[in-house]
Amino acid sequence: MARTGYGLVRQIRGGELELVDFGVIETQAGEDVSARLLALEAGIERVLHRHQPESSAVERLFFERNVSTAMTVGQARGVALLTLARHDLPITEYSPVEIKQAVTGYGAADKRQMQTMVRTLLRMDDLPRPDDAADALAVAICHAHMSRIRQRMEAGA
């Protein structure tokens, strides 16, 4: 909830990807949870109004141990899903392994490998920072790749 990453990419010629925008939406520690959730919603709304995306994707989360972290992330994730749904955006969820596989070709890639491939695929000069934004770009790349595969399968069916 403190920092929620977003990343937007566009498919261009030959299936190549182009970076559109990325960053984080930050909320203030110490503020009431409801105020932080409203700030997150407002930040997502600004991104959606600025870029008018055609679809959206989020990471499917799985927590084994830390219940309090899972609750906080779940609240923020719920706001994100609701905001995307209010804009009638198709929402696709991907597991961390699916994202790593789509970006690096290796489902157990580490954070540095992911950031390096995100930088390479989007032809960025530097590694994307902060980590939350880099993770969001990885989700966007995965979604773009998977959407292209789905389109090909539908066209061939």
Side-chain angles (χ1 to χ4, degrees):
M1 187 178 312
R3 192 162 50 189
T4 300
Y6 64 89
L8 293 98
V9 299
R10 154 185 320 122
Q11 283 198 328
I12 55 175
R13 63 195 174 306
E16 285 185 51
L17 297 176
E18 176 180 64
L19 175 63
V20 174
D21 192 14
F22 72 101
V24 292
I25 300 163
E26 295 185 272
T27 65
Q28 298 300 312
E31 275 193 340
D32 183 66
V33 171
S34 59
R36 293 178 82 178
L37 294 173
L38 283 170
L40 175 59
E41 178 190 31
I44 295 168
E45 287 283 349
R46 281 190 298 276
V47 171
L48 295 176
H49 286 293
R50 187 178 324 129
H51 297 291
Q52 302 291 309
E54 295 175 3
S55 64
S56 64
V58 295
E59 182 176 358
R60 188 177 309 122
L61 299 177
F62 176 74
F63 287 91
E64 286 185 26
R65 296 189 187 114
N66 193 335
V67 173
S68 114
T69 299
M71 293 295 290
T72 301
V73 171
Q75 289 173 325
R77 190 170 182 279
V79 165
L81 292 171
L82 177 63
T83 306
L84 295 168
R86 280 190 179 147
H87 284 263
D88 294 321
L89 283 171
I91 304 167
T92 306
E93 297 183 55
Y94 299 99
S95 72
V97 170
E98 289 173 311
I99 296 164
K100 291 175 181 183
Q101 184 73 36
V103 174
T104 68
Y106 178 55
D110 64 29
K111 196 163 278 296
R112 179 72 177 190
Q113 290 170 313
M114 291 291 289
Q115 289 172 334
T116 299
M117 281 304 297
V118 166
R119 186 195 77 201
T120 301
L121 291 169
L122 298 177
R123 295 173 305 286
M124 300 171 74
D125 293 331
D126 299 309
L127 290 178
R129 298 270 187 232
D131 289 349
D132 303 286
D135 293 347
L137 283 172
V139 174
I141 291 167
C142 173
H143 185 57
H145 287 324
M146 296 305 291
S147 294
R148 189 162 185 232
I149 290 169
R150 274 191 291 279
Q151 287 172 352
R152 284 182 176 173
M153 289 174 64
E154 290 169 5

Short mmCIF file of all heavy atoms in Angstrom, two decimals, residues 51-107:
data_model
loop_
_atom_site.label_atom_id
_atom_site.label_comp_id
_atom_site.label_asym_id
_atom_site.label_seq_id
_atom_site.Cartn_x
_atom_site.Cartn_y
_atom_site.Cartn_z
N HIS A 51 -3.55 7.89 -19.99
CA HIS A 51 -3.10 6.96 -21.04
C HIS A 51 -4.22 6.18 -21.74
O HIS A 51 -3.97 5.61 -22.80
CB HIS A 51 -2.07 5.99 -20.47
CG HIS A 51 -0.84 6.68 -20.01
ND1 HIS A 51 0.04 7.27 -20.87
CD2 HIS A 51 -0.35 6.89 -18.76
CE1 HIS A 51 1.04 7.81 -20.19
NE2 HIS A 51 0.82 7.59 -18.91
N GLN A 52 -5.39 6.10 -21.16
CA GLN A 52 -6.51 5.38 -21.78
C GLN A 52 -6.11 3.98 -22.27
O GLN A 52 -6.25 3.67 -23.46
CB GLN A 52 -7.06 6.20 -22.96
CG GLN A 52 -7.52 7.59 -22.60
CD GLN A 52 -8.77 7.61 -21.75
OE1 GLN A 52 -9.75 6.97 -22.08
NE2 GLN A 52 -8.74 8.32 -20.65
N PRO A 53 -5.62 3.10 -21.38
CA PRO A 53 -5.21 1.76 -21.83
C PRO A 53 -6.39 0.94 -22.33
O PRO A 53 -7.54 1.20 -21.99
CB PRO A 53 -4.60 1.14 -20.57
CG PRO A 53 -5.24 1.87 -19.44
CD PRO A 53 -5.50 3.27 -19.94
N GLU A 54 -6.06 -0.05 -23.16
CA GLU A 54 -7.09 -0.94 -23.73
C GLU A 54 -7.36 -2.15 -22.85
O GLU A 54 -8.40 -2.77 -22.95
CB GLU A 54 -6.63 -1.42 -25.11
CG GLU A 54 -6.52 -0.33 -26.13
CD GLU A 54 -5.95 -0.84 -27.44
OE1 GLU A 54 -5.70 -2.06 -27.57
OE2 GLU A 54 -5.74 -0.01 -28.33
N SER A 55 -6.38 -2.53 -22.06
CA SER A 55 -6.54 -3.69 -21.18
C SER A 55 -5.61 -3.51 -19.99
O SER A 55 -4.82 -2.57 -19.94
CB SER A 55 -6.21 -4.99 -21.93
OG SER A 55 -4.86 -5.00 -22.31
N SER A 56 -5.74 -4.41 -19.04
CA SER A 56 -4.92 -4.30 -17.83
C SER A 56 -4.53 -5.69 -17.33
O SER A 56 -5.16 -6.69 -17.68
CB SER A 56 -5.68 -3.54 -16.74
OG SER A 56 -6.83 -4.27 -16.35
N ALA A 57 -3.51 -5.70 -16.50
CA ALA A 57 -3.05 -6.96 -15.90
C ALA A 57 -2.51 -6.68 -14.52
O ALA A 57 -1.96 -5.61 -14.26
CB ALA A 57 -1.98 -7.61 -16.77
N VAL A 58 -2.69 -7.63 -13.65
CA VAL A 58 -2.14 -7.54 -12.29
C VAL A 58 -1.49 -8.87 -11.94
O VAL A 58 -1.80 -9.91 -12.52
CB VAL A 58 -3.24 -7.19 -11.25
CG1 VAL A 58 -3.81 -5.81 -11.47
CG2 VAL A 58 -4.33 -8.23 -11.25
N GLU A 59 -0.60 -8.79 -10.99
CA GLU A 59 0.07 -10.01 -10.52
C GLU A 59 -0.85 -10.73 -9.54
O GLU A 59 -1.43 -10.12 -8.64
CB GLU A 59 1.38 -9.66 -9.84
CG GLU A 59 2.15 -10.86 -9.35
CD GLU A 59 3.49 -10.49 -8.76
OE1 GLU A 59 3.85 -9.30 -8.74
OE2 GLU A 59 4.19 -11.41 -8.29
N ARG A 60 -1.01 -12.02 -9.75
CA ARG A 60 -1.76 -12.86 -8.82
C ARG A 60 -0.84 -13.10 -7.63
O ARG A 60 0.30 -13.53 -7.80
CB ARG A 60 -2.13 -14.18 -9.48
CG ARG A 60 -3.07 -15.02 -8.66
CD ARG A 60 -3.47 -16.30 -9.38
NE ARG A 60 -3.96 -16.07 -10.74
CZ ARG A 60 -3.43 -16.61 -11.83
NH1 ARG A 60 -2.40 -17.42 -11.74
NH2 ARG A 60 -3.92 -16.36 -13.02
N LEU A 61 -1.30 -12.81 -6.45
CA LEU A 61 -0.44 -12.88 -5.27
C LEU A 61 -0.69 -14.14 -4.47
O LEU A 61 -1.80 -14.64 -4.40
CB LEU A 61 -0.66 -11.66 -4.39
CG LEU A 61 -0.33 -10.33 -5.07
CD1 LEU A 61 -0.66 -9.19 -4.14
CD2 LEU A 61 1.12 -10.29 -5.49
N PHE A 62 0.39 -14.59 -3.84
CA PHE A 62 0.32 -15.76 -2.99
C PHE A 62 1.23 -15.53 -1.79
O PHE A 62 2.40 -15.23 -1.95
CB PHE A 62 0.79 -17.01 -3.76
CG PHE A 62 0.83 -18.24 -2.91
CD1 PHE A 62 -0.33 -18.89 -2.53
CD2 PHE A 62 2.04 -18.75 -2.47
CE1 PHE A 62 -0.29 -20.02 -1.74
CE2 PHE A 62 2.09 -19.88 -1.67
CZ PHE A 62 0.92 -20.52 -1.31
N PHE A 63 0.67 -15.59 -0.59
CA PHE A 63 1.44 -15.41 0.63
C PHE A 63 1.35 -16.67 1.46
O PHE A 63 0.26 -17.18 1.68
CB PHE A 63 0.90 -14.23 1.45
CG PHE A 63 1.21 -12.90 0.86
CD1 PHE A 63 0.33 -12.29 -0.01
CD2 PHE A 63 2.39 -12.25 1.19
CE1 PHE A 63 0.61 -11.06 -0.55
CE2 PHE A 63 2.68 -11.02 0.65
CZ PHE A 63 1.79 -10.42 -0.22
N GLU A 64 2.48 -17.12 1.94
CA GLU A 64 2.49 -18.29 2.80
C GLU A 64 2.48 -17.94 4.27
O GLU A 64 1.88 -18.62 5.06
CB GLU A 64 3.73 -19.15 2.50
CG GLU A 64 3.65 -19.90 1.21
CD GLU A 64 4.84 -20.82 1.03
OE1 GLU A 64 5.45 -21.24 2.03
OE2 GLU A 64 5.16 -21.11 -0.13
N ARG A 65 3.19 -16.87 4.64
CA ARG A 65 3.45 -16.64 6.06
C ARG A 65 2.85 -15.36 6.62
O ARG A 65 2.09 -15.39 7.56
CB ARG A 65 4.96 -16.62 6.30
CG ARG A 65 5.58 -17.96 5.98
CD ARG A 65 7.03 -18.01 6.43
NE ARG A 65 7.62 -19.26 5.95
CZ ARG A 65 8.57 -19.33 5.06
NH1 ARG A 65 9.11 -18.24 4.58
NH2 ARG A 65 9.03 -20.49 4.66
N ASN A 66 3.25 -14.21 6.10
CA ASN A 66 2.94 -12.94 6.73
C ASN A 66 1.51 -12.50 6.42
O ASN A 66 1.24 -11.88 5.40
CB ASN A 66 3.95 -11.89 6.26
CG ASN A 66 3.88 -10.64 7.09
OD1 ASN A 66 2.86 -10.33 7.68
ND2 ASN A 66 4.98 -9.91 7.13
N VAL A 67 0.61 -12.80 7.35
CA VAL A 67 -0.80 -12.51 7.16
C VAL A 67 -1.05 -11.01 7.12
O VAL A 67 -1.85 -10.52 6.33
CB VAL A 67 -1.65 -13.17 8.28
CG1 VAL A 67 -3.10 -12.74 8.20
CG2 VAL A 67 -1.52 -14.67 8.20
N SER A 68 -0.34 -10.23 7.94
CA SER A 68 -0.58 -8.79 7.96
C SER A 68 -0.16 -8.15 6.64
O SER A 68 -0.85 -7.27 6.12
CB SER A 68 0.14 -8.17 9.16
OG SER A 68 1.15 -7.32 8.81
N THR A 69 0.94 -8.60 6.04
CA THR A 69 1.34 -8.09 4.73
C THR A 69 0.32 -8.50 3.68
O THR A 69 -0.05 -7.70 2.81
CB THR A 69 2.73 -8.63 4.34
OG1 THR A 69 3.68 -8.18 5.30
CG2 THR A 69 3.16 -8.18 2.97
N ALA A 70 -0.16 -9.73 3.76
CA ALA A 70 -1.15 -10.21 2.80
C ALA A 70 -2.42 -9.37 2.88
O ALA A 70 -3.01 -9.03 1.85
CB ALA A 70 -1.47 -11.68 3.07
N MET A 71 -2.84 -8.99 4.07
CA MET A 71 -4.06 -8.19 4.23
C MET A 71 -3.87 -6.81 3.62
O MET A 71 -4.73 -6.32 2.89
CB MET A 71 -4.42 -8.06 5.71
CG MET A 71 -4.85 -9.38 6.34
SD MET A 71 -6.37 -10.01 5.63
CE MET A 71 -7.53 -8.83 6.26
N THR A 72 -2.74 -6.18 3.89
CA THR A 72 -2.48 -4.84 3.36
C THR A 72 -2.39 -4.86 1.84
O THR A 72 -3.00 -4.03 1.15
CB THR A 72 -1.16 -4.28 3.96
OG1 THR A 72 -1.29 -4.25 5.37
CG2 THR A 72 -0.87 -2.89 3.45
N VAL A 73 -1.64 -5.82 1.30
CA VAL A 73 -1.52 -5.94 -0.15
C VAL A 73 -2.89 -6.26 -0.75
O VAL A 73 -3.25 -5.73 -1.81
CB VAL A 73 -0.46 -6.99 -0.53
CG1 VAL A 73 -0.48 -7.28 -2.02
CG2 VAL A 73 0.93 -6.53 -0.10
N GLY A 74 -3.65 -7.10 -0.10
CA GLY A 74 -4.98 -7.45 -0.58
C GLY A 74 -5.91 -6.25 -0.66
O GLY A 74 -6.69 -6.12 -1.61
N GLN A 75 -5.83 -5.36 0.33
CA GLN A 75 -6.65 -4.16 0.29
C GLN A 75 -6.27 -3.27 -0.90
O GLN A 75 -7.14 -2.80 -1.64
CB GLN A 75 -6.50 -3.37 1.59
CG GLN A 75 -7.14 -4.04 2.77
CD GLN A 75 -6.83 -3.33 4.07
OE1 GLN A 75 -5.74 -2.79 4.26
NE2 GLN A 75 -7.80 -3.32 4.97
N ALA A 76 -4.98 -3.06 -1.08
CA ALA A 76 -4.50 -2.22 -2.20
C ALA A 76 -4.86 -2.86 -3.53
O ALA A 76 -5.30 -2.19 -4.47
CB ALA A 76 -3.00 -1.99 -2.08
N ARG A 77 -4.69 -4.16 -3.60
CA ARG A 77 -5.01 -4.89 -4.83
C ARG A 77 -6.50 -4.79 -5.15
O ARG A 77 -6.90 -4.64 -6.30
CB ARG A 77 -4.57 -6.35 -4.64
CG ARG A 77 -4.61 -7.17 -5.87
CD ARG A 77 -3.92 -8.52 -5.58
NE ARG A 77 -3.90 -9.31 -6.75
CZ ARG A 77 -4.93 -10.04 -7.20
NH1 ARG A 77 -6.05 -10.07 -6.52
NH2 ARG A 77 -4.84 -10.73 -8.31
N GLY A 78 -7.32 -4.87 -4.13
CA GLY A 78 -8.76 -4.73 -4.31
C GLY A 78 -9.14 -3.36 -4.88
O GLY A 78 -9.98 -3.27 -5.78
N VAL A 79 -8.50 -2.32 -4.39
CA VAL A 79 -8.74 -0.97 -4.92
C VAL A 79 -8.32 -0.92 -6.39
O VAL A 79 -9.04 -0.36 -7.23
CB VAL A 79 -7.99 0.10 -4.08
CG1 VAL A 79 -7.93 1.43 -4.81
CG2 VAL A 79 -8.65 0.26 -2.73
N ALA A 80 -7.18 -1.49 -6.71
CA ALA A 80 -6.70 -1.48 -8.09
C ALA A 80 -7.68 -2.23 -9.00
O ALA A 80 -8.07 -1.72 -10.06
CB ALA A 80 -5.31 -2.11 -8.17
N LEU A 81 -8.10 -3.41 -8.59
CA LEU A 81 -9.03 -4.20 -9.40
C LEU A 81 -10.37 -3.46 -9.59
O LEU A 81 -10.92 -3.43 -10.68
CB LEU A 81 -9.26 -5.57 -8.78
CG LEU A 81 -8.07 -6.52 -8.81
CD1 LEU A 81 -8.35 -7.76 -7.96
CD2 LEU A 81 -7.71 -6.91 -10.23
N LEU A 82 -10.87 -2.88 -8.52
CA LEU A 82 -12.14 -2.16 -8.60
C LEU A 82 -12.02 -0.95 -9.53
O LEU A 82 -12.91 -0.71 -10.37
CB LEU A 82 -12.57 -1.70 -7.21
CG LEU A 82 -13.85 -0.87 -7.14
CD1 LEU A 82 -15.04 -1.68 -7.61
CD2 LEU A 82 -14.06 -0.37 -5.72
N THR A 83 -10.93 -0.21 -9.42
CA THR A 83 -10.74 0.97 -10.26
C THR A 83 -10.64 0.58 -11.73
O THR A 83 -11.24 1.22 -12.61
CB THR A 83 -9.50 1.76 -9.82
OG1 THR A 83 -9.61 2.06 -8.42
CG2 THR A 83 -9.35 3.06 -10.59
N LEU A 84 -9.89 -0.47 -12.01
CA LEU A 84 -9.78 -0.95 -13.40
C LEU A 84 -11.14 -1.43 -13.91
O LEU A 84 -11.52 -1.13 -15.05
CB LEU A 84 -8.76 -2.08 -13.48
CG LEU A 84 -7.31 -1.70 -13.16
CD1 LEU A 84 -6.45 -2.95 -12.99
CD2 LEU A 84 -6.75 -0.77 -14.22
N ALA A 85 -11.88 -2.13 -13.09
CA ALA A 85 -13.20 -2.64 -13.49
C ALA A 85 -14.18 -1.50 -13.75
O ALA A 85 -14.98 -1.56 -14.68
CB ALA A 85 -13.75 -3.58 -12.43
N ARG A 86 -14.10 -0.44 -12.96
CA ARG A 86 -14.98 0.72 -13.18
C ARG A 86 -14.73 1.38 -14.53
O ARG A 86 -15.61 2.04 -15.06
CB ARG A 86 -14.77 1.75 -12.08
CG ARG A 86 -15.49 1.43 -10.82
CD ARG A 86 -15.44 2.60 -9.87
NE ARG A 86 -16.17 2.27 -8.67
CZ ARG A 86 -15.86 2.71 -7.47
NH1 ARG A 86 -14.83 3.52 -7.31
NH2 ARG A 86 -16.57 2.38 -6.43
N HIS A 87 -13.56 1.19 -15.07
CA HIS A 87 -13.22 1.74 -16.39
C HIS A 87 -13.48 0.72 -17.50
O HIS A 87 -13.06 0.93 -18.63
CB HIS A 87 -11.76 2.20 -16.41
CG HIS A 87 -11.57 3.49 -15.70
ND1 HIS A 87 -11.53 4.70 -16.35
CD2 HIS A 87 -11.42 3.78 -14.37
CE1 HIS A 87 -11.36 5.67 -15.46
NE2 HIS A 87 -11.30 5.14 -14.26
N ASP A 88 -14.15 -0.38 -17.15
CA ASP A 88 -14.49 -1.43 -18.11
C ASP A 88 -13.25 -1.98 -18.82
O ASP A 88 -13.32 -2.36 -19.99
CB ASP A 88 -15.51 -0.94 -19.15
CG ASP A 88 -16.85 -0.64 -18.51
OD1 ASP A 88 -17.26 -1.40 -17.62
OD2 ASP A 88 -17.47 0.38 -18.89
N LEU A 89 -12.13 -2.02 -18.12
CA LEU A 89 -10.91 -2.59 -18.69
C LEU A 89 -10.88 -4.09 -18.46
O LEU A 89 -11.09 -4.54 -17.33
CB LEU A 89 -9.67 -1.96 -18.04
CG LEU A 89 -9.32 -0.57 -18.51
CD1 LEU A 89 -8.22 0.02 -17.64
CD2 LEU A 89 -8.88 -0.60 -19.96
N PRO A 90 -10.62 -4.85 -19.49
CA PRO A 90 -10.40 -6.28 -19.26
C PRO A 90 -9.19 -6.44 -18.32
O PRO A 90 -8.17 -5.77 -18.51
CB PRO A 90 -10.09 -6.83 -20.64
CG PRO A 90 -10.57 -5.79 -21.61
CD PRO A 90 -10.50 -4.49 -20.90
N ILE A 91 -9.32 -7.29 -17.33
CA ILE A 91 -8.25 -7.51 -16.35
C ILE A 91 -7.80 -8.96 -16.44
O ILE A 91 -8.63 -9.87 -16.35
CB ILE A 91 -8.73 -7.23 -14.91
CG1 ILE A 91 -9.29 -5.81 -14.79
CG2 ILE A 91 -7.60 -7.46 -13.91
CD1 ILE A 91 -10.07 -5.56 -13.51
N THR A 92 -6.51 -9.15 -16.61
CA THR A 92 -5.94 -10.49 -16.62
C THR A 92 -4.96 -10.59 -15.46
O THR A 92 -4.23 -9.65 -15.19
CB THR A 92 -5.22 -10.78 -17.95
OG1 THR A 92 -6.12 -10.53 -19.03
CG2 THR A 92 -4.75 -12.22 -18.02
N GLU A 93 -4.96 -11.73 -14.80
CA GLU A 93 -4.03 -11.95 -13.69
C GLU A 93 -3.00 -12.99 -14.09
O GLU A 93 -3.32 -13.97 -14.76
CB GLU A 93 -4.80 -12.43 -12.45
CG GLU A 93 -5.80 -11.40 -11.95
CD GLU A 93 -6.50 -11.86 -10.69
OE1 GLU A 93 -5.78 -12.18 -9.71
OE2 GLU A 93 -7.73 -11.90 -10.68
N TYR A 94 -1.76 -12.75 -13.68
CA TYR A 94 -0.65 -13.65 -13.97
C TYR A 94 0.09 -13.97 -12.67
O TYR A 94 0.28 -13.10 -11.83
CB TYR A 94 0.34 -13.02 -14.96
CG TYR A 94 -0.28 -12.68 -16.29
CD1 TYR A 94 -0.70 -11.39 -16.57
CD2 TYR A 94 -0.45 -13.66 -17.26
CE1 TYR A 94 -1.29 -11.08 -17.79
CE2 TYR A 94 -1.04 -13.35 -18.48
CZ TYR A 94 -1.45 -12.06 -18.74
OH TYR A 94 -2.02 -11.76 -19.94
N SER A 95 0.51 -15.22 -12.56
CA SER A 95 1.30 -15.63 -11.39
C SER A 95 2.73 -15.11 -11.56
O SER A 95 3.19 -14.85 -12.68
CB SER A 95 1.31 -17.15 -11.25
OG SER A 95 2.12 -17.72 -12.27
N PRO A 96 3.47 -15.01 -10.46
CA PRO A 96 4.88 -14.59 -10.56
C PRO A 96 5.68 -15.49 -11.51
O PRO A 96 6.51 -15.00 -12.28
CB PRO A 96 5.38 -14.69 -9.13
CG PRO A 96 4.16 -14.45 -8.29
CD PRO A 96 3.04 -15.11 -9.06
N VAL A 97 5.41 -16.79 -11.50
CA VAL A 97 6.15 -17.70 -12.38
C VAL A 97 5.80 -17.42 -13.85
O VAL A 97 6.70 -17.42 -14.70
CB VAL A 97 5.85 -19.18 -12.02
CG1 VAL A 97 6.40 -20.14 -13.05
CG2 VAL A 97 6.41 -19.50 -10.64
N GLU A 98 4.53 -17.18 -14.14
CA GLU A 98 4.14 -16.85 -15.52
C GLU A 98 4.82 -15.57 -16.00
O GLU A 98 5.27 -15.48 -17.14
CB GLU A 98 2.62 -16.67 -15.61
CG GLU A 98 1.83 -17.95 -15.48
CD GLU A 98 0.34 -17.69 -15.40
OE1 GLU A 98 -0.10 -16.84 -14.61
OE2 GLU A 98 -0.39 -18.37 -16.16
N ILE A 99 4.90 -14.59 -15.13
CA ILE A 99 5.53 -13.31 -15.48
C ILE A 99 7.02 -13.51 -15.75
O ILE A 99 7.54 -13.06 -16.77
CB ILE A 99 5.31 -12.27 -14.36
CG1 ILE A 99 3.81 -11.97 -14.23
CG2 ILE A 99 6.12 -11.00 -14.63
CD1 ILE A 99 3.43 -11.26 -12.94
N LYS A 100 7.69 -14.23 -14.86
CA LYS A 100 9.12 -14.48 -15.04
C LYS A 100 9.38 -15.28 -16.32
O LYS A 100 10.32 -14.99 -17.06
CB LYS A 100 9.68 -15.24 -13.83
CG LYS A 100 9.71 -14.38 -12.58
CD LYS A 100 10.14 -15.20 -11.38
CE LYS A 100 10.15 -14.33 -10.14
NZ LYS A 100 10.63 -15.05 -8.95
N GLN A 101 8.54 -16.25 -16.58
CA GLN A 101 8.68 -17.07 -17.79
C GLN A 101 8.52 -16.23 -19.05
O GLN A 101 9.28 -16.34 -19.99
CB GLN A 101 7.65 -18.20 -17.77
CG GLN A 101 7.77 -19.17 -18.92
CD GLN A 101 8.97 -20.08 -18.81
OE1 GLN A 101 9.35 -20.50 -17.73
NE2 GLN A 101 9.60 -20.36 -19.93
N ALA A 102 7.52 -15.35 -19.05
CA ALA A 102 7.25 -14.52 -20.22
C ALA A 102 8.34 -13.49 -20.47
O ALA A 102 8.65 -13.17 -21.61
CB ALA A 102 5.90 -13.82 -20.07
N VAL A 103 8.94 -12.98 -19.40
CA VAL A 103 9.93 -11.92 -19.54
C VAL A 103 11.34 -12.46 -19.77
O VAL A 103 12.07 -11.94 -20.61
CB VAL A 103 9.90 -10.98 -18.31
CG1 VAL A 103 11.03 -9.96 -18.34
CG2 VAL A 103 8.55 -10.27 -18.22
N THR A 104 11.70 -13.51 -19.05
CA THR A 104 13.08 -14.02 -19.13
C THR A 104 13.20 -15.39 -19.77
O THR A 104 14.29 -15.81 -20.12
CB THR A 104 13.73 -14.12 -17.73
OG1 THR A 104 13.07 -15.15 -16.99
CG2 THR A 104 13.67 -12.79 -16.98
N GLY A 105 12.07 -16.10 -19.88
CA GLY A 105 12.13 -17.47 -20.37
C GLY A 105 12.47 -18.46 -19.27
O GLY A 105 12.65 -19.64 -19.53
N TYR A 106 12.56 -17.98 -18.02
CA TYR A 106 12.96 -18.81 -16.89
C TYR A 106 12.07 -18.46 -15.69
O TYR A 106 12.11 -17.33 -15.18
CB TYR A 106 14.44 -18.54 -16.58
CG TYR A 106 15.00 -19.28 -15.39
CD1 TYR A 106 14.92 -20.66 -15.29
CD2 TYR A 106 15.64 -18.58 -14.36
CE1 TYR A 106 15.46 -21.33 -14.21
CE2 TYR A 106 16.19 -19.25 -13.28
CZ TYR A 106 16.09 -20.61 -13.20
OH TYR A 106 16.62 -21.28 -12.11
N GLY A 107 11.26 -19.40 -15.27
CA GLY A 107 10.28 -19.17 -14.22
C GLY A 107 10.82 -18.92 -12.83
O GLY A 107 10.08 -18.54 -11.94
#
